[in-house]
Amino acid sequence: MSYLAQAGLTLVQFVLGLYLLLVLLRLLLQSVRADFYNPISQAIVTLTNPPLRFLRRFIPGLAGIDLSAIVLLVLLQMLELVLIALLLHGGMPKPAALLVLSLAELLRLAIYVYIFLIFIMVIISWINPGAYNPLTVLIHQLTEPLLRPIRRRLPTTAGLDWSPLAALLALYLLLALGVAPLMDLGSSLAGR
């Protein structure tokens, strides 16, 4: 791979990856009904609003689900995969492979976001439990719907909450048993 192609690949992955992360965070914050007056939420909304405002003209929400954000995520992921394929292989993947790989990549990104958030939440609980700042509030609002059902089933022992460990294990199993087969299916459809 030439130096120019390597630089292009890095640029595509960084720019589109960062924007994908912002749109995904916005969708996750909407799904848990997080505080949108939080300054971090406001920044995410401001950065993701232009394309979503355009898409909402054509794609309405459905039962509280922001379908325009989901469509934007899939389109951005497909664009990233097409650009990467063009840089690496000089051709575009087949549409079916592109769709499956895009869905697998988005699912993997969402799982990694939750893994990262749970790790951060655990570290914050050790270093400065009960501290208030906008970031910790959002992390709590995002992780609590995942951890609450586990907490109800797992007893605390010696004051330790085992729900983050159980959630991390479940997320890693989902990566291995859900995302990996999807990636393999997408790769086989692409002919790789």
Side-chain angles (χ1 to χ4, degrees), residues 11-100:
L11 188 63
V12 164
Q13 288 177 326
F14 179 77
V15 171
L16 286 175
L18 183 61
Y19 204 72
L20 272 165
L21 178 63
L22 288 173
V23 175
L24 178 65
L25 284 173
R26 179 178 176 147
L27 183 66
L28 292 174
L29 289 170
Q30 287 174 337
S31 69
V32 298
R33 299 193 186 337
D35 178 17
F36 273 92
Y37 295 107
N38 185 309
I40 297 170
S41 296
Q42 288 296 309
I44 291 171
V45 167
T46 302
L47 291 170
T48 57
N49 237 5
L52 287 174
R53 193 176 320 125
F54 174 75
L55 284 175
R56 284 191 182 121
R57 294 180 193 168
F58 312 105
I59 304 167
L62 177 69
I65 299 170
D66 190 0
L67 292 180
S68 57
I70 293 171
V71 168
L72 180 60
L73 280 170
V74 172
L75 290 175
L76 287 171
Q77 186 62 60
M78 287 175 138
L79 175 64
E80 181 182 18
L81 290 174
V82 165
L83 291 174
I84 289 170
L86 288 172
L87 286 169
L88 291 178
H89 308 295
M92 285 185 43
K94 296 174 186 169
L98 189 60
L99 181 63
V100 171

